[in-house]
Amino acid sequence: MSRTVITTSNAPALQAPLSQGVRKGPVLGVSGQLPLDPGTGAVVGTTVAEQTAQALRNVTAVLKAAGASMEDVIVLRVYLTDPADLAAMNEAYAEAVGEPFPARTTVYMRLPAGVLVEIDALAVVAG
């Protein structure tokens, strides 16, 4: 079974050795999405809520390019720079993702300057 690279202009293309998404059989991995505007590459928003919403829009764009949606996601991983942002991220996340929520892991790490959050996904896609 071969891997299929997923690419879309509706999510940012990074200058890094990675694919926006990769599908093998029914399994789809979406690379970590930063809160970047796909057209300009600029960081969208200054708050974790704004950046969470943009990162999830980018995740959703890659899912859509692979013929999937947030309903196919079984786990999201959220990377935050500051534990104090957890409550605000949770609020924006809940609004954008909706119930039933996929499984989730949240970790804290250093991200590029001005970036407060990064989100990746693992989905199982029918067909």
Side-chain angles (χ1 to χ4, degrees):
M1 184 179 315
S2 64
R3 293 184 302 171
T4 302
V5 173
I6 308 301
T7 311
T8 179
S9 60
N10 295 320
L14 299 177
Q15 299 301 313
L18 57 85
S19 298
Q20 290 173 315
V22 175
R23 182 172 174 178
K24 186 167 184 175
V27 178
L28 170 64
V30 176
S31 289
Q33 295 296 307
L34 299 173
L36 304 178
D37 179 282
T40 67
V43 174
V44 173
T46 58
T47 68
V48 75
E50 293 167 320
Q51 290 193 15
T52 297
Q54 182 62 45
L56 285 167
R57 281 192 292 273
N58 294 340
V59 167
T60 300
V62 178
L63 290 168
K64 185 176 179 181
S69 71
M70 197 59 77
E71 290 182 6
D72 298 306
V73 173
I74 59 171
V75 66
L76 287 164
R77 284 172 293 267
V78 177
Y79 307 88
L80 287 174
T81 59
D82 186 348
D85 285 337
L86 182 62
M89 184 281 297
N90 273 335
E91 187 174 322
Y93 174 96
E95 184 177 324
V97 173
E99 293 187 43
F101 299 114
R104 188 181 94 194
T105 300
T106 303
V107 297
Y108 302 98
M109 63 178 289
R110 184 177 307 213
L111 292 167
V115 174
L116 304 174
V117 63
E118 179 176 357
I119 302 172
D120 70 28
L122 182 64
V124 177
V125 186

